[in-house]
Amino acid sequence: MALIYAVKLVDEYDRAVFKQALEGLPVDVRNKAARYRKEADAVREIVSAVLKRIVACQVNGIGLHRAEFLRDGYGKPSLKEFPDFHFNVSHSHAWVVCAVSAEGPVGIDIEMIGKAEEGVARMCLTPKELHEWIGQPKEQRDTYFFTLWTLKESYVKATGKGLAENLSSLETIKEGESFRMARQGLVDTDRSLRMVSFDTAYQMAICTAVQDVPINRVDMSMNELMLGFIGLQSGSR
């Protein structure tokens, strides 16, 4: 089973609670958030940091003091001392999501559907995908592009390659309700991808090591998330 924890960012939230929760984050995380010029960007960064710690503690039954994260050479995060804890975080505009899988590496990507520019499409789609995208009815092109984009992003996040992977070298192959990813004609049969029904203004894809794995969604409000994190701080003292 895979779990997707989702937090919707709102303009009205308890800033006193938010500030108290912020004090429980590592100094480097707080400093990174402080460097953002826009409050919305800082809030997304903080919520992402809090969410992955809440999830790590809940899933593994550990205290906050043990929720220490590492990054490998490609920048992929992992939980120190818990190599079998597979998770991935993504955020876009009003949403922050965290995917967890007990079946191996997982990748998730959420994107708000915007204007799909041809120049960008040419840089991240294969010739076949580009042809299919151009052939879409005009009113469907944006959604189609962000379908391919989120599928590819979730894949490279699951493999751990991230920005080191050239998206135009990856080609999506539809198999029923799910997808596979191919590189230079070689299909990766170890990973399965699918689109996840979500907010209609967004596209979200998940990549797992098991095909048709059941997916459950857990929604949390910002205040619920922050109060939960404050509780973890108290328990670690």
Side-chain angles (χ1 to χ4, degrees), residues 54-181:
I54 285 267
V55 172
C57 291
Q58 288 183 353
V59 172
N60 296 288
I62 59 175
L64 184 58
H65 65 287
R66 295 187 65 190
E68 183 178 348
F69 294 89
L70 308 172
R71 288 187 180 274
D72 64 16
Y74 291 104
K76 185 178 182 179
S78 62
L79 183 62
K80 186 178 179 180
E81 299 180 5
F82 293 86
D84 294 327
F85 173 61
H86 303 286
F87 73 99
N88 194 234
V89 178
S90 181
H91 56 73
S92 178
H93 295 269
W95 287 101
V96 177
V97 295
C98 177
V100 179
S101 174
E103 307 294 340
V106 61
I108 191 168
D109 190 58
I110 182 171
E111 300 289 343
M112 186 175 185
I113 300 172
K115 179 64 177 176
E117 302 292 344
E118 184 171 341
V120 177
R122 290 186 179 278
M123 287 191 295
C124 63
L125 302 183
T126 65
K128 179 177 179 291
E129 291 171 334
L130 185 64
H131 177 75
E132 292 172 348
W133 173 69
I134 292 174
Q136 296 296 310
K138 190 173 183 180
E139 66 275 11
Q140 295 179 19
R141 285 187 183 179
D142 295 337
T143 299
Y144 191 80
F145 171 81
F146 281 98
T147 295
L148 297 178
W149 176 274
T150 53
L151 285 168
K152 293 189 178 197
E153 285 288 337
S154 69
Y155 178 79
V156 299
K157 293 174 77 177
T159 62
K161 296 297 179 63
L163 295 175
E165 186 80 80
N166 183 354
L167 296 186
S168 65
S169 69
L170 302 173
E171 187 161 279
T172 53
I173 300 173
K174 188 168 176 56
E175 293 184 347
E177 295 300 315
S178 60
F179 297 82
R180 296 287 188 186
M181 200 65 68

Side-chain angles (χ1 to χ4, degrees), residues 22-42:
L22 178 61
E23 294 172 356
L25 289 172
V27 174
D28 62 324
V29 177
R30 284 181 279 159
N31 288 342
K32 182 179 180 180
R35 287 195 290 271
Y36 285 105
R37 305 178 77 175
K38 295 182 179 180
E39 179 184 358
D41 294 331

